[in-house]
Amino acid sequence: VFQGVRQAQWLTKTKLVEGLPPSVLSIVDDPAHQLEDYEERVKRVISHARLWDTTEAIPKREHYCPVLFEDLIHLCRLMSVKYPSLTKRMLARNYKIAATWERESILLQVRGLNGILMNSVAPIPPVASKEEILATEEHVLETFYPISPTIDLQEVNVYQELNSTGFRDGYPYSHPHTLFFLESANIRPNRFRPEQLRAKMLMFAFGNALAKAKVLYGNDPKVLEQPIVVQSVGTDGQLFQFMVFQLNTTDLVSGDGIKNLVWIDSDQKLYEKAQCISEVKKRVVTKPAGIYGFQPDTFKKFLALYLHGTV
Amino acid sequence: MAAYRGRRLLWQGRCWFSQTESAVPPQPADSLYPPVVASATAKSKAAKRRRLEHFHQRVHAAASVEEKLRLYGQRQRPKYMVYPQTFALNADRWYQSFTKTVFVPGLPPRAAPAAVKAPGVVAPEAAKAPEPAAAVAPEAAEAPEPGTAASAAAKTPEPAAGAAPCLDMGELCSLACDALLQESFYQNKKRPFLYRDQDHTPGPFLTQLVSTLAASLCGRNPLLAASSLDLKPEVHYYWHHGEEVVVHGHRKGRVDPVRFQIDDKPHLQIRVPEQLPEIVPLDSDLGDVPVIDHKPSKLPLFKKQYENKVFIGSKVADPCCYGHTQFHLIPDKLNRKRFIRANLEDQIEVVYRANGIASLFAWTAAQAMYQGFWNEADATRPFVSQAVVTDGKYFAFFCYQLNTLALTVETIQNNPRKNICWGTDSKPLYDVVENGSVKGFNDEVLLQLVHFLLNRPKEL
């Protein structure tokens, strides 16, 4: 996606806010929501994923990225000791999403396998207040004339305008909570760069929210009484991108009116470097094997996004 | 004959010659002459024994566990690849003989007091547990059917968490049903790929079930709270057992140890930083190990030469170095319908047992090697792990206690200890899933699974 997040914003009629929303930040800062000695545990998790998990000396990204993700989710799930309603979450891998909308006479759709979705029984309450939502009316979406907003998008003939959340009716965990994207290709050109990853996260979060809105409120474009919030986390094993998306309106044909909101916290490093084999210069160990530059805040934000909606 | 022996000795001498010099023991201060020992490079039995001793000393004196493992598996020779999931007939008896394991049908009784709402039938269980050599492994194929039905029913009122309040089985049942329904009914999935049915529904269901159950039970079991959950880890173990005569080649006629290697990929595994408590004392004798008079290649087992790996799922530096529970998924090739079609119904249970015995032996033995024990330095404490083998619907539970690693020809002679494996037959968790509901959900199987997850050392 050429312009990255700016293009995605135009396509989904969204206003960008830097940093995470205050409700999530309050969970980050609240010491009651921490795991005991979580720093030690997270360091152990990173060492396990990056250093210890395979018989080879240096695990490849395709191997350590999913392992790191699984271990972090396992740590977050252990918080359900304190908050029993956290057991009401279910991870869904390999699920398919389909959402279609019209944007100034261009028909757009989001489809297919995207990432790992965490569903919950209860929806996340709206993050932005009513005033903020009304304030988005004045915001003007930036266009990048002369470049068309649909540049780099695949043009496809669709015969069925499909809107589906990926699950059947009656599914108890019906509210999409968080989407996880793992960029785990070994070669750098196969991975999305951080800007493109953020754009992808935005598009799919929007697609999930829109599909859910159409299921709940019908296909007519309108402003939603109860905005739908979907979170999204993308990582390549070291850098984390956090995003909270709030769908305020399904009226996307025109470019004015109430817009959707997205809060993005980008490029958070979990650790600086993972040294698998100790560096030895002239028979002296200069850098022993281990994890360097660990930043606990990134995990706190990850945990806060996980806990958001139940605390 | 002598010529062949000589060539082999010379080759071995060449391998070890360079290290022999450095490991000559220091002279005692009061003697003028070096100690009179057999030569290290001569073509004699004494020299061979001396070289072997020297190798053992090198491994004993290794600086770290990684170094010990490296020396242990340094020499690569053709070895039998033992597959835990195998279609071979009566493979469980063969695997028992390779690993010196006694199979005891039924699960061992738990010592912790109970607080579970279910009817109690504890008397037959207490009578079953100290059964001596009557529960002999060769009859295991036929006897477990009546035996384990009674023991499994008696297992259900078994003790759960010690002082904690009653387990809410209803909630855990609903979690399990939700996981099952999500994977099989609610999520829109395409049709399964050809012969890949296990990756479509049972695999994700097992992952979901274990992760949600572990998360909800970690309040009761602090060991789970410190555990590490691995998805599709690798477990490897290499060992020697027995002797054979080399059949063909330039080393024909020489006597070699029989080498085995297990390379296992469980579906899911939980590793913990502390060891599970022993079930029976180290030297208990609960039965006989079956003796198979044929060569291992008749099973069928095939030889290959590659790296001798010993691995529990993560490297030695990981603090979670003891195993708690493994979960195995039976592949599509070995599903029940195929066995029934081929008139081999009795082999269905053999598949589960062979998988349990081989995988758990490899895991516990690798854990013991990570602690520094090997066949010359036998384990001083038993290593216990558990496993659940399933094909998505039928669950079989296994418990293994490793008492001895000494299985080579020299060390097995004076070793009365045997490894013990307890196991159940496979039971269905549910009957069928239709229209968004699970029919015939079996609470006993879920209860057994919950007990497995709640197992922990007595101090915690």
Side-chain angles (χ1 to χ4, degrees), chain A residues 181-212:
Chain A
F181 292 91
L182 304 177
E183 290 299 315
S184 51
N186 271 334
I187 322 172
R188 203 198 294 215
N190 289 358
R191 290 200 294 271
F192 274 69
R193 272 161 295 149
E195 181 70 20
Q196 274 74 29
L197 181 60
R198 287 196 285 276
K200 178 164 98 155
M201 282 159 63
L202 179 52
M203 296 302 292
F204 277 106
F206 173 77
N208 272 291
L210 187 67
K212 184 73 198 158

Side-chain angles (χ1 to χ4, degrees), chain B residues 47-368:
Chain B
K48 180 156 180 282
R49 247 179 292 142
R50 192 166 166 232
R51 284 193 292 270
L52 202 59
E53 291 250 342
H54 174 60
F55 171 66
H56 291 330
Q57 270 165 25
R58 273 181 72 205
V59 180
H60 280 300
S64 64
V65 177
E66 288 102 340
E67 180 66 19
K68 211 178 258 209
L69 292 176
R70 189 188 72 86
L71 287 174
Y72 175 73
Q74 197 175 29
R75 285 189 71 207
Q76 285 186 22
R77 295 290 307 145
K79 56 194 176 181
Y80 286 112
M81 297 178 293
V82 175
Y83 293 101
Q85 294 175 331
T86 171
F87 50 79
L89 300 181
N90 291 328
D92 59 337
R93 292 194 56 213
W94 288 77
Y95 288 177
Q96 280 179 273
S97 79
F98 296 152
T99 61
K100 204 178 177 194
T101 310
V102 173
F103 184 77
V104 178
L107 286 177
R110 303 214 179 258
V116 182
K117 43 185 194 263
V121 185
V122 191
E125 183 54 55
K128 187 148 189 69
E131 240 177 46
V136 179
E139 274 78 354
E142 286 78 30
E145 265 67 32
T148 43
S151 67
K155 265 281 99 266
T156 51
E158 268 316 313
C166 248
L167 274 181
D168 191 358
M169 278 312 294
E171 196 191 312
L172 297 173
C173 281
S174 70
L175 275 181
C177 289
D178 280 338
L180 186 55
L181 285 172
Q182 177 191 319
E183 292 305 329
S184 45
F185 183 70
Y186 283 122
Q187 191 169 331
N188 292 341
K189 292 185 188 180
K190 283 196 167 154
R191 283 175 46 185
F193 198 76
L194 185 61
Y195 300 133
R196 297 269 178 92
D197 282 320
Q198 297 298 88
D199 294 335
H200 186 255
T201 310
F205 160 58
L206 193 60
T207 320
Q208 287 280 24
L209 180 68
V210 175
S211 30
T212 38
L213 278 184
S216 49
L217 291 173
C218 66
R220 289 167 189 282
N221 189 353
L223 202 61
L224 276 185
S227 66
S228 172
L229 188 71
D230 302 330
L231 295 189
K232 300 211 174 41
E234 290 179 356
V235 173
H236 304 285
Y237 186 60
Y238 168 75
W239 78 103
H240 294 189
H241 176 67
E243 267 188 333
E244 64 174 359
V245 177
V246 179
V247 165
H248 58 70
H250 68 280
R251 302 183 69 234
K252 179 172 172 178
R254 291 166 211 195
V255 175
D256 245 5
V258 182
R259 294 165 284 260
F260 297 93
Q261 166 95 35
I262 292 185
D263 296 321
D264 190 21
K265 277 197 91 146
H267 185 75
L268 201 61
Q269 145 176 313
I270 301 180
R271 277 176 303 113
V272 287
E274 283 184 27
Q275 204 176 347
L276 288 175
E278 64 173 33
I279 305 173
V280 288
L282 195 57
D283 289 313
S284 14
D285 189 357
L286 292 181
D288 285 333
V289 180
V291 173
I292 310 273
D293 291 326
H294 305 284
K295 275 179 69 162
S297 59
K298 304 288 178 205
L299 175 59
L301 276 184
F302 300 96
K303 281 197 175 184
K304 202 161 98 159
Q305 177 175 326
Y306 57 102
E307 198 192 332
N308 299 329
K309 288 197 265 204
V310 176
F311 194 61
I312 62 167
S314 72
K315 295 192 183 138
V316 184
D318 197 337
C320 291
C321 52
Y322 294 103
H324 190 267
T325 318
Q326 266 184 344
F327 292 84
H328 295 266
L329 198 60
I330 303 255
D332 210 39
K333 252 201 301 193
L334 300 172
N335 63 14
R336 298 178 96 95
K337 289 201 263 304
R338 288 196 191 208
F339 281 102
I340 296 173
R341 239 184 323 178
N343 286 333
L344 289 169
E345 281 92 1
D346 46 342
Q347 298 296 321
I348 296 178
E349 294 304 326
V350 166
V351 169
Y352 288 87
R353 278 202 292 269
N355 196 355
I357 291 174
S359 304
L360 281 174
F361 171 74
W363 205 28
T364 44
Q367 288 167 43

Side-chain angles (χ1 to χ4, degrees), chain A residues 32 50 54-55 62 79 117 126 178 190 196 250 264 300 305:
Chain A
R50 283 304 300 261
T54 52
T55 46
E62 267 168 356
M79 284 293 277
L117 176 65
T178 315
N190 289 358
Q196 274 74 29
T250 52
I264 299 190
K300 279 203 225 173
L305 281 182

Side-chain angles (χ1 to χ4, degrees), chain A residues 13-156:
Chain A
K13 198 171 164 191
T14 311
K15 177 178 167 204
L16 172 67
V17 179
E18 290 289 338
L20 286 173
S23 49
V24 177
L25 286 174
S26 65
I27 305 180
V28 172
D29 295 324
D30 191 350
H33 299 142
Q34 313 284 8
L35 284 172
E36 301 87 40
D37 57 311
Y38 74 98
E39 278 203 27
E40 180 56 44
R41 284 213 195 160
V42 177
K43 278 198 206 159
R44 221 186 269 180
V45 156
I46 306 173
S47 310
H48 172 246
R50 283 304 300 261
L51 307 177
W52 300 328
D53 198 45
T54 52
T55 46
E56 308 149 20
I58 306 179
K60 294 212 175 328
R61 194 184 291 261
E62 267 168 356
H63 188 85
Y64 74 70
C65 193
V67 170
L68 182 63
F69 166 69
E70 292 296 333
D71 282 338
L72 287 174
I73 290 283
H74 184 58
L75 268 190
C76 294
R77 264 200 288 256
L78 295 179
M79 284 293 277
S80 56
V81 177
K82 280 196 202 166
Y83 304 107
S85 50
L86 278 181
T87 51
K88 300 276 174 232
R89 302 269 182 97
M90 206 55 96
L91 272 182
R93 295 155 214 267
N94 299 332
Y95 84 105
K96 291 183 185 213
I97 187 67
T100 343
W101 72 99
E102 228 189 278
R103 185 84 184 84
E104 288 187 15
S105 74
I106 312 168
L107 190 62
L108 301 162
Q109 66 167 2
V110 162
R111 279 223 203 179
L113 299 168
N114 40 7
I116 306 176
L117 176 65
M118 186 162 66
N119 289 310
S120 72
V121 176
I124 311 180
V127 174
S129 57
K130 292 271 179 210
E131 294 79 26
E132 285 181 28
I133 300 174
L134 289 174
T136 59
E137 264 198 80
E138 289 89 38
H139 174 78
V140 174
L141 291 172
E142 55 173 314
T143 54
F144 11 86
Y145 185 83
I147 305 174
S148 153
T150 54
I151 191 172
D152 275 346
L153 295 179
Q154 191 185 19
E155 201 174 300
V156 168

